[in-house]
């Protein structure tokens, strides 16, 4: 993206969850491209505890950071009062609970209440652009015909299969309720859009890809074949974190230019963000085999059937089998602060559900596309992820 030409014309930016995985990369993207006149990062976690790599030092510097809980109304005045005194033009909500398999109350308070509180404040202050990060897992798992047609569009049926997505959808719905409430009062309402993301990965990844890489390292050390549940054709939509950030910036610009009328429908405000690779389990298994030089395969139908009906037991057995070997690998390399990565598996990560999205609308309306070198997950990109772990001292 080209740099903005005049400092005075650049928007001031507020990033909630600014030290989270996406938040820090969004801050870095803005910093590298010199896009903002001012950036504030708000997070409950202190920078010293956020596992920040050296390249984030300037983008996430202490002078840009504010420790606060944005779901608490009493924090809002402090959060929205910028250092310059100018109002924020772009607000990005990268916050919310990102861990899987949490209690309902955790998602309700950390995801839904955060979105409601932030959105109401943005509506009150007439913020020109509010961008909400959500997940493509809000859709009903697609049929084979939907996958053949390119994946779920923004109008696909909604049926979250995991709790994290269920509460992200509730948060999404609250945005429209707040917008309509403000319109009734004669206000312009809430100027928002929603990004429904594929599985986000990249350097320092601590999500689904990280777990797979940790498992591969264990099986490499054992000289054993790594077998995956379900089939190689099971779709697991992906997008690189840097491309998710470029999409967020384009979405904010789209809002700030008035491209969405106050009367715009909900569907006009939602964009799927996914790479062009149609990533599957087979894709990832092949990459893992190439990088770690191990055999990979897939469980047979009998094992898969057992797993579907006994998933809790299967998860317990997997974790019992891999956690101690992972600890042994770390100890052998004298790694005492291993970072936020581990092979620990959770039930919601092993559901037999297709995840396939279409980003046609984001490409057509926002002009967004993943960078050519990241348009699909490749072995070289995943090698970079492993190198990032090595660089920061997380990798055995």
């Amino acid at each position: 993206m080209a740099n903005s030409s005049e400092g005075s014309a650049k928007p001031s930016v507020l990033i909630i969850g600014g030290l989270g995985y996406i938040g820090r990369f969004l801050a870095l993207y803005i910093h590298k491209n010199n896009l903002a006149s001012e950036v504030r990062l708000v997070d409950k976690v202190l920078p010293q505890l956020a596992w920040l790599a050296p390249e984030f030092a300037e983008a996430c510097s202490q002078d840009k950071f504010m420790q606060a809980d944005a779901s608490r109304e009493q924090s809002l005045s402090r959060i929205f009062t910028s250092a310059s005194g100018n109002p924020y033009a772009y607000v990005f909500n990268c916050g919310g609970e990102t861990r899987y398999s949490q209690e309902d109350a955790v998602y309700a308070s950390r995801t839904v209440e955060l979105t409601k509180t932030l959105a109401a404040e943005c509506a009150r202050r007439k913020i020109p652009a509010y961008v909400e990060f959500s997940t493509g897992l809000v859709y009903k798992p697609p049929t084979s015909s939907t996958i053949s047609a390119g994946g779920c569009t923004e109008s696909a049926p909604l049926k979250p299969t995991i709790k994290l997505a269920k509460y992200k959808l509730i948060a999404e719905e609250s945005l429209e309720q707040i917008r309509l409430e403000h319109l009734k009062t004669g206000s312009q309402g809430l100027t928002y859009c929603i990004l429904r993301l594929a599985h986000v990965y990249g350097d320092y990844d601590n999500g689904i890809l990280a777990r797979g890489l940790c498992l591969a390292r264990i099986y490499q050390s054992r000289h054993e074949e790594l077998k995956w549940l379900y089939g190689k054709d099971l779709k697991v939509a992906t997008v690189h974190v840097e491309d998710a950030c470029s999409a967020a910036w384009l979405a904010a610009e789209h809002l700030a230019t008035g491209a969405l009328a106050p009367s715009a429908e909900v569907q006009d405000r939602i964009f799927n963000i996914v790479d062009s690779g149609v990533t599957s389990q087979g894709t990832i298994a092949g990459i893992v085999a190439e990088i770690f030089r191990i055999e990979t395969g897939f469980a047979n139908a009998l094992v898969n059937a057992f797993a579907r009906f006994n998933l809790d037991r299967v998860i317990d057995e997997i974790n019992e089998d891999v956690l101690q070997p992972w600890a042994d690998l770390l100890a052998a390399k004298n790694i005492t602060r291993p970072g936020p990565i581990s092979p620990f598996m959770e039930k919601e990560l092993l559901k037999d559900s297709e995840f396939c999205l279409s980003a046609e609308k984001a490409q057509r309306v926002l002009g967004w596309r993943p960078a050519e070198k990241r348009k699909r997950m490749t072995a070289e990109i995943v090698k970079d992820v492993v190198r990032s772990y090595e660089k920061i001292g997380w990798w055995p």
Side-chain angles (χ1 to χ4, degrees), residues 148-343:
S148 298
C152 293
T153 64
E154 289 79 359
S155 59
L158 301 172
K159 188 179 180 180
T161 58
I162 63 173
K163 285 194 287 186
L164 182 150
K166 171 186 172 183
Y167 283 93
K168 277 292 189 182
L169 182 56
I170 294 171
E172 286 187 19
E173 292 167 345
S174 73
L175 293 174
E176 185 62 10
Q177 293 166 3
I178 291 168
R179 185 184 76 85
L180 293 176
E181 287 170 4
H182 278 263
L183 281 178
K184 289 177 184 177
T185 67
S187 168
Q188 68 182 28
L190 176 67
T191 308
Y192 78 92
C193 72
I194 296 165
L195 303 184
R196 288 178 177 164
L197 304 178
H199 289 307
V200 178
Y201 75 99
D203 288 0
Y204 312 105
D205 181 273
N206 60 5
I208 291 175
L209 179 62
R211 289 169 168 85
L213 294 176
C214 292
L215 282 173
R217 177 66 186 93
I218 291 166
Y219 279 77
Q220 180 191 49
S221 71
R222 292 172 166 178
H223 306 288
E224 294 177 359
E225 180 183 11
L226 174 56
K227 285 198 171 184
W228 307 65
L229 285 174
Y230 316 126
K232 65 182 178 65
D233 296 324
L234 187 72
K235 300 299 183 289
V236 283
T238 56
V239 67
H240 195 279
V241 65
E242 293 180 37
D243 296 310
C245 293
S246 69
W249 191 260
L250 288 172
E253 289 186 326
H254 180 70
L255 292 171
T257 56
L260 279 179
S263 59
E265 298 293 327
V266 175
Q267 289 302 320
D268 297 330
R269 302 173 182 279
I270 300 172
F271 299 95
N272 293 340
I273 305 299
V274 62
D275 63 27
S276 309
V278 193
T279 310
S280 67
Q281 286 206 139
T283 305
I284 298 173
I287 289 171
V288 163
E290 178 180 340
I291 293 174
F292 292 91
R293 300 185 182 278
I294 59 173
E295 293 293 324
T296 60
F298 291 86
N300 60 39
L302 184 62
V303 171
N304 285 331
F306 177 83
R308 289 187 184 98
F309 290 102
N310 300 273
L311 197 50
D312 287 327
R313 177 178 169 185
V314 170
I315 293 292
D316 288 343
E317 289 178 354
I318 291 173
N319 287 329
E320 185 176 341
D321 184 51
V322 301
L323 291 180
Q324 187 57 52
W326 178 251
D328 294 340
L329 287 171
L330 293 173
K333 285 290 187 73
N334 295 317
I335 297 173
T336 56
R337 294 187 77 241
I341 63 171
S342 93

Side-chain angles (χ1 to χ4, degrees), residues 71 95-116 162-171 346 348-349:
S71 69
E97 183 56 68
T98 58
R99 295 174 299 170
Y100 294 91
S101 306
Q102 302 301 300
E103 296 296 327
D104 290 75
V106 172
Y107 293 114
S109 64
R110 297 181 184 174
T111 296
V112 179
E113 288 306 313
L114 171 64
T115 293
K116 285 182 176 180
I162 63 173
K163 285 194 287 186
L164 182 150
K166 171 186 172 183
Y167 283 93
K168 277 292 189 182
L169 182 56
I170 294 171
E346 296 175 85
E348 291 188 327
L349 295 177

